Each structure stands twice: as C-alpha cells, then as structure tokens.
Amino acid sequence: MSGRKETVLDLAKFVDKGVQVKLTGGRQVTGTLKGYDQLLNLVLDEAIEFLRDPDDPLKTTDQTRPLGLIGNCCDAGVSS
C-alpha cells in the first residue's frame, strides 16, 4: 500500500460535466466542474445559484442568479 491519500469521491469522471453542489449552509449551485483537489475544493464554471424560499430557508425556489466562475473551499457535496 502506498502512503498516498485518495478522496472517497472519484471526481475525475465529472470534469467538464454539469454537477449540482450543495454547500454548507444550504446554498445549492449548479455548473460545469472545471477542477478540484483532494480536499474537495471545487471550481465551477457557468455556475448558477438556486435562491432559497424566504418563508422556509430549507427549501430552494425556481429563482436563480448567475454566479459565473466560482471556487469553493471544502464545504460541498456533489451530485451529477
């Protein structure tokens, strides 16, 4: 066994594909995965955030806002 650490998720298969990311705090973003590292820092291009319902902050609405190219730090879960 090598001493190399590997991430549990194999994100390489999602590079240049659309992903949906749920950030700590409940924010939800979609975009094209452009890069990542072992700590799950992600870079998304053409990112769009789904806005939360003002009456229930645990729910998202159909309203969105464009974010463009973004990077996040270690606080995401990814789904395709």
Side-chain angles (χ1 to χ4, degrees), residues 23-68:
L23 303 173
T24 301
R27 292 176 67 188
Q28 193 167 326
V29 178
T30 63
T32 304
L33 182 63
K34 289 298 183 180
Y36 64 94
D37 66 13
Q38 290 179 329
L39 298 175
L40 295 182
N41 295 305
L42 305 176
V43 177
L44 299 179
D45 195 11
E46 301 173 2
I48 298 170
E49 178 182 8
F50 289 88
L51 301 178
R52 294 191 215 179
D53 185 331
D55 298 325
D56 186 354
L58 298 177
K59 292 183 182 179
T60 57
T61 66
D62 290 334
Q63 292 181 309
T64 61
R65 73 175 177 146
L67 300 176

Side-chain angles (χ1 to χ4, degrees), residues 5-24:
K5 292 185 180 181
E6 295 183 24
T7 61
V8 175
L9 297 173
D10 180 17
L11 294 178
K13 61 185 173 187
F14 297 110
V15 172
D16 291 325
K17 294 187 177 162
V19 295
Q20 183 173 26
V21 180
K22 192 164 200 176
L23 303 173
T24 301

